[in-house]
Amino acid sequence: MAAKKLLILPGDGIGAEAMVQVRRIIDWLSKKRGIEFDISEGLIGGCAYDACGTPLPEQTLIDAMAADAVLLGAVGGPKWDDLPFDKKPERGLLGIRKEMGLFANLRPAVVFDALVDASTLKAEIVSGLDIMIVRELTGGLYFGEPRGIETLPDGSRRGVNTLVYTTEEIRRIGRVAFDLARKRNRRVCSVDKANVLECTVLWREEMIKLQQSDYPDVELTHMYVDNAAMQLVRNPKQFDVMVTENTFGDILSDCASMLTGSLGMLPSASLGAPDATGKVRALYEPIHGSAPDIAGKDIANPLATILSFAMCLRYSFDMVSEADQIEAAVRGVLKGGLRTADIMQPGKAKVSTTVMGEAIVREMDKVQA
Ligand code: IPM
Ligand code: MG
């Protein structure tokens, strides 16, 4: 079997130090399992702007298109705050998602038993939680036209963004959610704002049609996004799969991350449609940002990036037992009491990014997936 081509884009801030820990796991897989990846590294975000004058260099895009999967760290930081909008680090991330056609963003929020008390919510509300947020990623308010800031004749200014979806865009993200639900508890909650926004009236109508025609075995419910935000912290275990618009998903997934104890725990997968050869373009990244305030201090939590790599093995490389093993190692290390600062709890051992990474690799020797 040809080595899987993996493009690593560490990006800015804590992205690089988290990626060092993933490299340890990759080395482990090579040494202990004889699994070799064809790895290349590239630039994206602020570091790409510094080196090439653009947050998404042509070469990065070429390499991303040729890769079997992309693993991304994080982008952004105050250093680039004053750049024009189209040069900002975030444009690199949004650009690669769009160019690769990654319309489906899977954001699982799973509470590890050892971290139940790390959440700011009561243990009984979050223990055993396992939900999947499916965020539409290449449309909606993030990409709709017209957009921009214009100066009016009277000298005042006007800012515009547009919430827009076509039936096909809604149906393809709906299928992703329903297919995932079939592998889980067969329940989809579609989140919209159909009491106010016409675009999401269409969203709701299309979800209903799709469920009736193709997924009668999956239960479909609907919730307004404001209520969904409230329900996520009130009783998150009522959900199985949630599917929603790009901006709504951005907000709800940050909210869901805190159910698990920390933004530093949540991985994500962004997937495209299968091409003519059946290949699915994919990018894996933690949902946290570049955390510039703690970057370079060796205190960041590398687990979201490590778990993103596990998702990559599971969804893109069909290496299910290796993915299970990484996830088991994360559980084991947390159970053993090691914590990075963001998930620190009384009586546990506070460790650095590096020590956490080393511990995961050691644990992989012990756990049987
Ligand atoms: C995320 C992030 C990005 C987004 C930013 C960094 C552009 O918040 O992946 O959730 O808004 O999609
Ligand atoms: Mg976000």
Side-chain angles (χ1 to χ4, degrees):
M1 197 173 67
K4 297 286 186 192
K5 270 177 131 93
L6 179 66
L7 174 65
I8 294 185
L9 303 174
D12 307 320
I14 61 171
E17 53 206 278
M19 214 53 92
V20 171
Q21 313 315 316
V22 172
R23 287 289 195 148
R24 289 183 207 283
I25 296 174
I26 290 174
D27 290 345
W28 186 96
L29 290 171
S30 153
K31 241 185 266 146
K32 302 282 169 89
R33 290 289 175 85
I35 299 171
E36 299 295 340
F37 297 97
D38 174 357
I39 296 181
S40 51
E41 270 208 21
L43 295 171
I44 194 164
C47 62
Y49 173 81
D50 289 346
C52 317
T54 164
L56 182 55
E58 192 62 37
Q59 192 58 48
T60 298
L61 212 45
I62 292 170
D63 293 345
M65 295 298 193
D68 292 308
V70 180
L71 185 65
L72 188 145
V75 299
K79 182 177 174 198
W80 303 283
D81 273 355
D82 297 328
L83 288 179
F85 199 69
D86 63 321
K87 302 280 188 217
K88 282 192 193 295
E90 290 76 10
R91 299 317 301 173
L93 179 56
L94 296 168
I96 200 169
R97 288 172 178 169
K98 188 74 172 175
E99 294 293 329
M100 291 177 72
L102 308 174
F103 67 92
N105 185 215
L106 279 41
R107 299 191 158 187
V110 175
V111 171
F112 290 93
D113 287 340
L115 285 187
V116 163
D117 294 316
S119 174
T120 49
L121 275 81
K122 291 198 190 85
E124 74 246 34
I125 303 291
V126 296
S127 74
L129 181 78
D130 178 354
I131 62 180
M132 176 71 87
I133 297 182
V134 178
R135 169 186 176 194
E136 200 292 328
L137 201 60
T138 53
L141 191 56
Y142 268 53
F143 290 96
E145 301 277 349
R147 63 185 301 157
I149 301 176
E150 60 187 5
T151 303
L152 300 174
D154 70 356
S156 64
R157 297 198 300 161
R158 182 169 175 263
V160 182
N161 287 97
T162 303
L163 177 55
V164 55
Y165 275 115
T166 62
T167 53
E168 198 33 55
E169 285 174 313
I170 298 166
R171 291 174 66 83
R172 69 179 181 178
I173 193 70
R175 279 189 209 102
V176 171
F178 288 122
D179 285 337
L180 277 167
R182 274 188 175 153
K183 296 187 192 143
R184 299 171 48 99
N185 295 317
R186 291 180 183 258
R187 289 189 292 118
V188 170
C189 177
S190 170
V191 176
D192 60 41
K193 189 72 187 174
N195 51 344
V196 178
L197 303 172
E198 287 85 347
C199 177
T200 71
V201 173
L202 180 72
W203 176 285
R204 186 177 288 215
E205 288 173 3
E206 290 303 323
M207 287 294 169
I208 292 171
K209 273 195 220 157
L210 182 62
Q211 187 267 343
Q212 286 175 349
S213 62
D214 293 11
Y215 298 93
D217 53 314
V218 179
E219 177 195 294
L220 173 66
T221 55
H222 308 273
M223 208 177 264
Y224 298 142
V225 63
D226 50 350
N227 185 26
M230 188 271 277
Q231 295 295 340
L232 263 179
V233 287
R234 192 185 77 90
N235 175 21
K237 282 187 256 180
Q238 71 185 285
F239 298 111
D240 178 22
V241 175
M242 301 176 92
V243 61
T244 193
E245 188 269 339
N246 202 340
T247 316
F248 298 165
D250 178 48
I251 298 167
L252 293 179
S253 60
D254 266 31
C255 177
S257 75
M258 283 317 291
L259 307 171
T260 72
S262 170
L263 204 54
M265 293 300 301
L266 251 68
S268 85
S270 304
L271 308 173
D275 68 11
T277 68
K279 175 172 153 176
V280 172
R281 286 197 212 290
L283 180 148
Y284 299 85
E285 56 172 322
I287 85 150
H288 63 67
S290 58
D293 50 324
I294 59 165
K297 295 185 181 160
D298 200 27
I299 58 175
N301 185 346
L303 294 178
T305 309
I306 287 172
L307 292 169
S308 298
F309 179 61
M311 283 187 96
C312 171
L313 298 182
R314 185 181 305 283
Y315 288 98
S316 283
F317 296 166
D318 211 18
M319 296 178 188
V320 176
S321 75
E322 287 77 10
D324 286 345
Q325 188 160 8
I326 293 171
E327 288 164 6
V330 170
R331 270 195 302 277
V333 166
L334 292 174
K335 202 163 162 232
L338 300 195
R339 301 282 186 275
T340 43
D342 57 310
I343 48 175
M344 185 55 191
Q345 295 165 277
K348 305 296 179 196
K350 185 146 124 190
V351 299
S352 65
T353 310
T354 306
V355 169
M356 181 57 92
E358 288 168 352
I360 298 291
V361 168
R362 263 199 316 277
E363 189 73 14
M364 288 185 66
D365 281 323
K366 289 192 224 154
V367 293
Q368 283 303 315

